[in-house]
Amino acid sequence: MRDLRLVATAVLGCCLFASVAVARTEPPAAHSRFHVELGGGLDQPVAGRLLLFATDAKAAVAAAKDGKVDEVDTSPFSPEQVAVAARETSRLVPGQGVDIDADAQAFPAGYSKLPPGDYLVQAVLDVDHSYNYSGRGAGDLVSDVVEVHLPATDVPALTLVKQLPARAPWTFPARAMSAASMKYLDEAKAHTQPIDFTSPALSAFWGRSIAMRGWVVTPPGYDAKASTTYPTVYYTHGYGGSANSLTGVAAMVYGKMASKAMPPMIWVLLDESSPTGTHEFADSVNNGPWGQALTTELIPRLEATYRMDGKPNGRFLNGHSSGGWATLWLQTHYPKIFGGTWSTSPDPSDFHDFTGVDLYAPNANVYHRPDGSAFPLVRDKGKVIASFETFARLERALGEYGGQMASFEWVFSPRGADGRPVPMFDRDTGAVDPAVVAYWRDHYDIAHLLQANWPQLKPDLDGKIHLVVGTADTFYLDGAAHRLKAVLDGLHAKADFRFLPDRTHFDLYAIGKDRQGLLNQFSWEMYALARPHSKLRAAATAP
């Protein structure tokens, strides 16, 4: 689920649609239309998904710093505070424009159903259809924020006047970094090398060159010519992360090693983002053989290049959220390769509890329980923020690619006749397709696969699973973790499960003032396995 992408909306007030109540006897309102032009300063035709965002002007200005609103955007963590309308455009020519029907594809509902009043509106052209995954970014075109009264007596016009620049690596807010990260930032950069490896297996699958990307962080004192080798941690990010965002992790882990909070190890930071969301390093009929490429191509190449231990008890895994599922999957699917995974708040590992929904139940529906009540999907300290249906409908408005639900299908689903993954559920009704779920179970339900194959897996996997999740996880992921634990307990397997009271998806790692303190603990546990007689470990763990 979402990890690094916490898109802050400009609105902190009431839901836009709290007062929408149109009597059934009233005639339907005319569709609300807008005109969007490509500014004269942009000299090439463009295409993409045209998105329109509208929010209550008074509430937005009141919530904004200095009363100035420079951006109107949506957020899955307050989904109904901004209305979204969309259309595809195949060719937008400079100086010309297109009309967008703000009722045809809209969330939470068409603009004609908005309460009358003043709204701040902004248009964005998502040129690479990545908005669902990472929001507006490099190459996208945006308009100024314009105040519009709705319902409008004419067709409001907006002009796309700015193209957003690419975000360079190593550009992150200083306030987001620890003192150690900032103190050792220049050293961290010097000890971090990019991964840009063209995978033969993935390239053969796609019929074009496919690169695996990320970073290798070497510890202080690393000497490529020395005989010393190091344990290696393979880390991957959560949903919304990227190779660029991993530079913040590089700065953090190096700073912790330099300040002695963590032992000296090599960290391989793996980018699992793709145009379809996160590929999770799973071998998939839709995304390709990412697990195979990692274990048979990239890891051997890295071990031939860097001073890595190059053996199972020197290869460890760590990831959070979707990265937690990816590392749990890699450990259980390639148990001979890795010496242990420390997976935190992983996406559902038992599909009897898919963020609270039992996908195997008769007539399963991800939107509604049998009594008609809505399945929640996002919560914060006990308060429900969004339902499964709300989340899915917002995702559909933003586009077909890269959304969290679509990402699951690109990893887990069989391929349909149209060459795309078969949807697990109907986006209109929420009804689950049992044939698709059967495929999910047989290929990607980790609990099911462990139970079915434990005699063969036990010699190489027993004792290697470490899973940590908060009891108040934002996406209800503690439920599946409990089920996975029950399965492993029933198999009399050795496994380490930790359920941290009242911790959410976003504060799980915090220990005292260190927001990533749990990572210190994990790293010493890994190091103890790789270097059981190390005095360094003994000194670091002494009371």
Side-chain angles (χ1 to χ4, degrees):
M1 303 294 287
R2 292 183 182 268
D3 182 14
L4 298 176
R5 183 190 171 203
L6 292 178
V7 184
T9 182
V11 183
L12 300 178
C14 299
C15 169
L16 272 176
F17 286 79
S19 60
V20 176
V22 180
R24 293 180 181 275
T25 56
E26 293 182 2
H31 281 206
S32 183
R33 299 182 182 277
F34 288 76
H35 184 75
V36 179
E37 291 189 352
L38 186 60
L42 303 167
D43 57 5
Q44 295 294 324
V46 292
R49 189 163 183 84
L50 185 59
L51 300 168
L52 198 66
F53 301 94
T55 190
D56 179 87
K58 184 177 180 181
V61 170
K65 183 179 180 180
D66 301 326
K68 185 177 181 181
V69 179
D70 296 318
E71 180 177 285
V72 181
D73 201 358
T74 188
S75 166
F77 302 97
S78 51
E80 295 189 346
Q81 291 182 350
V82 175
V84 183
R87 64 156 286 179
E88 290 292 328
T89 179
S90 59
R91 181 178 173 83
L92 190 57
V93 178
Q96 297 181 9
V98 294
D99 286 343
I100 179 169
D101 182 343
D103 285 74
Q105 298 181 61
F107 171 89
Y111 279 28
S112 67
K113 296 182 176 61
L114 289 173
D118 295 325
Y119 290 84
L120 297 183
V121 182
Q122 187 173 33
V124 179
L125 184 68
D126 175 20
V127 297
D128 59 359
H129 295 86
S130 63
Y131 213 99
N132 250 321
Y133 185 77
S134 54
R136 59 192 71 178
D140 289 347
L141 306 174
V142 301
S143 75
D144 291 332
V145 175
V146 176
E147 185 168 333
V148 175
H149 184 84
L150 296 176
T153 56
D154 53 8
V155 177
L158 296 96
T159 303
L160 300 169
V161 293
K162 180 181 179 182
Q163 188 168 40
L164 298 179
R167 173 184 171 271
W170 303 98
T171 54
F172 33 75
R175 65 181 180 277
M177 306 302 295
S178 68
S181 297
M182 297 308 298
K183 178 180 178 180
Y184 297 103
L185 183 58
D186 289 339
E187 285 186 36
K189 291 180 181 180
H191 278 259
T192 302
Q193 299 299 317
I195 298 170
D196 190 357
F197 172 74
T198 299
S199 161
L202 290 167
S203 299
F205 177 88
W206 285 101
R208 55 186 173 85
S209 180
I210 299 294
M212 305 180 78
R213 293 190 170 88
W215 307 90
V216 176
V217 184
T218 54
Y222 177 84
D223 183 352
K225 297 180 180 180
S227 60
T228 303
T229 63
Y230 297 86
T232 304
V233 183
Y234 291 87
Y235 170 100
T236 189
H237 56 75
Y239 182 88
S242 66
N244 273 4
S245 69
L246 285 171
T247 57
V249 180
M252 182 263 293
V253 298
Y254 185 86
K256 284 178 174 290
M257 289 190 290
S259 63
K260 312 297 184 183
M262 284 171 33
M265 297 192 288
I266 295 174
W267 286 74
V268 178
L269 311 180
L270 297 166
D271 179 11
E272 66 165 337
S273 65
S274 74
T276 66
T278 50
H279 54 68
E280 317 262 317
F281 287 99
D283 298 322
S284 160
V285 297
N286 300 302
N287 287 329
W290 281 93
Q292 174 192 334
L294 174 65
T295 55
T296 66
E297 296 176 351
L298 181 57
I299 288 178
R301 174 64 65 88
L302 293 174
E303 290 180 348
T305 305
Y306 295 92
R307 304 297 301 170
M308 298 175 172
D309 283 356
K311 52 189 177 181
N313 69 347
R315 299 188 197 105
F316 304 108
L317 294 157
N318 172 239
H320 183 69
S321 195
S322 291
W325 191 94
T327 51
L328 185 60
W329 172 259
L330 285 169
Q331 183 63 70
T332 55
H333 203 63
Y334 298 96
K336 294 179 183 292
I337 302 294
F338 301 103
T341 185
W342 279 254
S343 303
T344 59
S345 307
D347 288 349
S349 52
D350 185 324
F351 297 156
H352 285 96
D353 191 324
F354 195 79
T355 64
V357 182
D358 182 357
L359 298 183
Y360 303 125
N363 302 312
N365 188 298
V366 296
Y367 289 171
H368 304 291
R369 299 183 180 92
D371 65 4
S373 59
F375 276 113
L377 182 67
V378 187
R379 63 180 171 179
D380 182 43
K381 300 296 186 181
K383 179 183 178 182
V384 175
I385 296 174
S387 68
F388 202 118
E389 181 175 8
T390 296
F391 202 92
R393 291 187 184 279
L394 173 58
E395 180 178 300
R396 183 163 65 169
L398 293 174
E400 295 183 70
Y401 293 97
Q404 179 71 80
M405 302 307 162
S407 180
F408 285 136
E409 290 166 340
W410 275 89
V411 178
F412 300 151
S413 287
R415 182 183 292 179
D418 61 357
R420 300 181 61 178
V422 182
M424 184 269 285
F425 67 98
D426 185 293
R427 294 314 198 258
D428 291 321
T429 67
V432 167
D433 185 332
V436 175
V437 169
Y439 184 92
W440 282 30
R441 176 197 62 214
D442 294 343
H443 293 82
Y444 299 104
D445 185 321
I446 293 175
H448 171 77
L449 294 172
L450 288 176
Q451 194 159 37
N453 300 289
W454 186 245
Q456 296 84 7
L457 292 171
K458 180 179 179 180
D460 299 307
L461 186 57
D462 210 20
K464 292 183 176 181
I465 294 175
H466 307 263
L467 192 156
V468 183
V469 64
T471 62
D473 184 82
T474 309
F475 303 103
Y476 298 86
L477 296 171
D478 49 316
H482 276 291
R483 284 188 170 272
L484 179 62
K485 181 180 186 303
V487 167
L488 289 170
D489 287 348
L491 295 169
H492 305 290
K494 298 175 184 177
D496 169 27
F497 281 76
R498 308 173 212 177
F499 296 90
L500 304 189
D502 301 321
R503 291 301 180 93
T504 72
H505 205 68
F506 302 109
D507 63 4
L508 184 74
Y509 275 71
I511 296 178
K513 294 182 179 180
D514 187 348
R515 289 173 294 180
Q516 297 295 329
L518 194 59
L519 195 61
N520 303 355
Q521 182 177 330
F522 291 165
S523 66
W524 287 108
E525 291 171 5
M526 296 172 187
Y527 198 75
L529 292 173
R531 303 287 188 272
H533 304 296
S534 171
K535 294 181 180 179
L536 178 62
R537 181 188 68 87
T541 56

